[in-house]
Amino acid sequence: IAPVLLAASRVHADTQSFSIQSFTADYYLDRNDIKTSTLTVEEVIVARFPDFDQNHGILRAIPKEYQNRTVNLNIESVTDQSDKPYQYSTYGENNNEVLKIGDADSYVHGPTTYKIKYSLRNAINFQEQDEFYWDINGDQWQQPFSSVTARLHLPKEIASQLTGQKVCYTGVAGSRLQNCTITTDEGNADTIVTLQANDLNAGENASMVVGFTKGTFVLGPEIAEARRNLILG
């Protein structure tokens, strides 16, 4: 499921004519005492708006579900480059929590930074191995990206379960192009897996896949509860 950044909600075709200078996401992956995955995300998005009055801000859609199960999404903060809180509201749409960031009474111009922090659970893909398989910027943008960077931070206990499989993809939905790099840095504290992709066109996404030994993570009890509630109606 891809997080998606959208243009400001204003009835004018030109509101889409801005660009994304950089999209950087730091993912802090861990697990609790029952091995349910936890994920804290810190995004820094720098949008470049025109110098004239056109945009009030952005809409940022963050998934509330992953593979048809809840991720217990919690929005922690939305700030500017100086950590000053932005004015924002939220609404649900297509299993996403949409953040409407900005002030309807003012316009944004030039490079503008948005820092968004949120937390998730159960963001693991269970296949032959356990995988962190995540779309970084999403494929619904009408803007180009100069740079997309993602860093997956792993504590030693989790890093010890890495299988060595890591891959990145770029392009439109379903693409298996690999116009990106993915590297691993084993530091003294955390291990960091870094994806870098440059010059993505409108509608193009970067994805990261990192493999872990089967059984590294388990689904949280809230997943079973949600399934029971669905069956019971």
Side-chain angles (χ1 to χ4, degrees):
I1 298 175
V4 180
L5 181 69
L6 302 173
S9 177
R10 189 164 178 246
V11 185
H12 196 294
D14 289 343
T15 57
Q16 299 291 345
S17 61
F18 64 94
S19 63
I20 305 303
Q21 185 171 304
S22 62
F23 185 110
T24 303
D26 283 277
Y27 301 97
Y28 297 86
L29 180 63
D30 208 336
R31 61 186 180 182
N32 61 19
D33 55 358
I34 61 171
K35 298 171 66 174
T36 300
S37 65
T38 62
L39 187 68
T40 298
V41 184
E42 297 179 358
E43 296 179 348
V44 179
I45 303 161
V46 181
R48 182 178 290 276
F49 297 106
D51 293 331
F52 51 86
D53 291 350
Q54 174 178 278
N55 300 87
H56 297 288
I58 61 172
L59 301 180
R60 177 70 174 98
I62 301 171
K64 295 191 292 185
E65 293 186 359
Y66 179 69
Q67 296 188 340
N68 298 315
R69 58 178 185 258
T70 180
V71 294
N72 301 89
L73 174 65
N74 179 47
I75 306 299
E76 298 183 10
S77 62
V78 181
T79 65
D80 65 10
Q81 71 277 6
S82 301
D83 295 324
K84 178 182 177 181
Y86 270 120
Q87 178 178 319
Y88 75 97
S89 59
T90 64
Y91 61 91
E93 184 177 78
N94 297 325
N95 295 321
N96 294 316
E97 185 78 1
V98 182
L99 281 62
K100 186 176 183 180
I101 308 170
D103 185 347
D105 295 326
S106 64
Y107 291 94
V108 286
H109 307 105
T112 304
T113 299
Y114 299 89
K115 298 169 71 173
I116 305 171
K117 182 177 181 180
Y118 54 96
S119 59
L120 306 168
R121 287 160 57 92
N122 298 302
I124 294 296
N125 184 36
F126 295 100
Q127 299 295 330
E128 291 80 9
Q129 62 180 352
D130 294 355
E131 294 178 336
F132 178 75
Y133 192 154
W134 205 252
D135 291 346
I136 307 306
N137 58 300
D139 60 9
Q140 301 299 307
W141 296 71
Q142 297 184 42
Q143 294 76 36
F145 294 79
S146 296
S147 172
V148 174
T149 305
R151 292 182 288 260
L152 179 63
H153 301 255
L154 305 170
K156 288 184 178 181
E157 181 185 14
I158 304 299
S160 68
Q161 301 300 315
L162 287 167
T163 64
Q165 187 222 18
K166 61 180 185 292
V167 64
C168 60
Y169 299 110
T170 57
V172 299
S175 171
R176 285 296 180 263
L177 294 175
Q178 296 180 324
N179 297 324
C180 51
T181 61
I182 187 166
T183 57
T184 301
D185 179 17
E186 298 180 4
N188 293 327
D190 290 357
T191 293
I192 302 175
V193 182
T194 302
L195 173 153
Q196 182 65 49
N198 299 319
D199 300 322
L200 297 182
N201 295 317
E204 293 186 336
N205 169 62
S207 300
M208 170 187 284
V209 186
V210 178
F212 299 90
T213 303
K214 189 72 173 176
T216 300
F217 303 98
V218 299
L219 289 175
E222 66 272 17
I223 302 303
E225 181 181 358
R227 289 173 177 169
R228 284 196 300 271
N229 292 339
L230 182 63
I231 293 171
L232 296 174

